[in-house]
Amino acid sequence: VQLQASGGGLVQPGGSLRLSCAASGFNARHYAIGWFRQAPGKEREGVLCINMRDDITYYTDSVKGRFTISRAYGKNAVYLQMNSLKVEDTAVYYCAADDTGCRHASDFGRWGQGTQVTVSS
């Protein structure tokens, strides 16, 4: 049972990346899947979450209008599409799963390893 985050990399400000959170050993469709990030020297921060009904929760207003979350139908995965990236979006991005809903990060029971996103010119 695991989550695998991928798709990170180095991108210039204003660029885009799509992160993927692939689930194995369980059906991600039955879980809320959240994306979280942690920048160096900062606390972990919630980004976006999609619940079992596909309702979306923004944990931070800083990504509204730029980031979207969606389920990859046909695949046991969830995407985080990141557009208009800013230097301050630089962080390690993690995905996590919870069988209750989009709650606080500490309530998510399953976590994947992180993927590094670096926004720099």
Side-chain angles (χ1 to χ4, degrees), residues 64-85:
K64 285 185 177 179
R66 302 188 299 121
F67 290 13
T68 58
I69 189 171
S70 62
R71 291 191 182 273
Y73 290 102
K75 299 180 181 180
N76 198 21
V78 169
Y79 296 134
L80 179 67
Q81 178 67 43
M82 305 187 296
N83 299 325
S84 301
L85 282 160

Side-chain angles (χ1 to χ4, degrees), residues 23-97:
S24 60
F26 69 100
N27 188 341
R29 197 67 184 87
H30 299 160
Y31 286 75
I33 304 294
W35 283 97
F36 302 85
R37 65 187 181 184
Q38 187 165 21
K42 295 187 177 181
E43 294 188 353
R44 182 175 55 191
E45 173 187 42
V47 181
L48 273 164
C49 180
I50 186 167
N51 71 7
M52 302 73 126
R53 297 182 301 277
D54 288 349
D55 298 322
I56 293 170
T57 297
Y58 281 86
Y59 288 118
T60 175
D61 288 342
S62 67
V63 304
K64 285 185 177 179
R66 302 188 299 121
F67 290 13
T68 58
I69 189 171
S70 62
R71 291 191 182 273
Y73 290 102
K75 299 180 181 180
N76 198 21
V78 169
Y79 296 134
L80 179 67
Q81 178 67 43
M82 305 187 296
N83 299 325
S84 301
L85 282 160
K86 302 177 180 180
V87 172
E88 52 263 41
D89 294 319
T90 295
V92 177
Y93 284 71
Y94 301 88
C95 61

